[in-house]
Amino acid sequence: MSIEVGSKLQGKVTGITHFGAFVELPEGITGLVHISEVADNYVKDINEHLKVGDEVLVKVLNVEKDGKIGLSIRKAKDQPPAQSHSNPRPRPNRVNDFRTKESFEQKNEPVFER
């Protein structure tokens, strides 16, 4: 089985560091989930989200030429459909200005007092 970018795979957390978690994929291949790819919200301590032995679903983000594999847990989750803008908030009624160009210019002429 080759690891392809975009594929979702089941894996097991094998190690945790301050910068992410190593996940063993099928066939014993290991990839890294960077701490920023663990959850949708800010992760200060990865140990609050993962522990060694956890089974996780990951999405393959990249496969480097040197064999390093970048993974994401948060992108592996099914995203809720984007909210459509088919029913936007109603805009307040705008009052049209029906002044003529001449009256506008007259009103905005500078006034000099002597």
Side-chain angles (χ1 to χ4, degrees):
M1 168 191 225
S2 65
I3 306 296
E4 295 181 19
V5 173
S7 60
K8 292 181 183 180
L9 304 167
Q10 196 68 29
K12 181 186 268 188
V13 177
T14 58
I16 294 180
T17 68
H18 65 279
F19 56 83
F22 291 97
V23 176
E24 184 176 339
L25 302 172
E27 298 183 13
I29 300 170
T30 300
L32 174 70
V33 177
H34 187 267
I35 192 168
S36 65
E37 293 295 333
V38 171
D40 288 326
N41 53 336
Y42 176 74
V43 176
K44 184 174 183 177
D45 182 4
I46 195 167
N47 294 296
E48 293 175 0
H49 295 267
L50 297 171
K51 63 182 180 293
V52 174
D54 283 355
E55 292 283 333
V56 291
L57 179 66
V58 295
K59 182 174 184 176
V60 179
L61 298 181
N62 56 21
V63 179
E64 301 294 326
K65 290 180 182 177
D66 62 2
K68 293 180 182 176
I69 301 171
L71 305 170
S72 174
I73 293 173
R74 68 183 183 95
K75 290 181 182 168
K77 297 175 185 171
D78 291 327
Q79 300 295 326
Q83 292 181 353
S84 69
H85 295 287
S86 61
N87 194 6
R89 293 186 322 188
R91 295 180 71 150
N93 291 333
R94 295 185 178 177
V95 177
N96 292 326
D97 188 356
F98 293 108
R99 290 183 289 172
T100 63
K101 182 178 178 184
E102 291 78 22
S103 68
F104 180 76
E105 288 173 351
Q106 288 172 356
K107 188 174 184 179
N108 291 322
E109 286 182 12
V111 176
F112 296 104
E113 293 185 26
R114 294 181 191 215

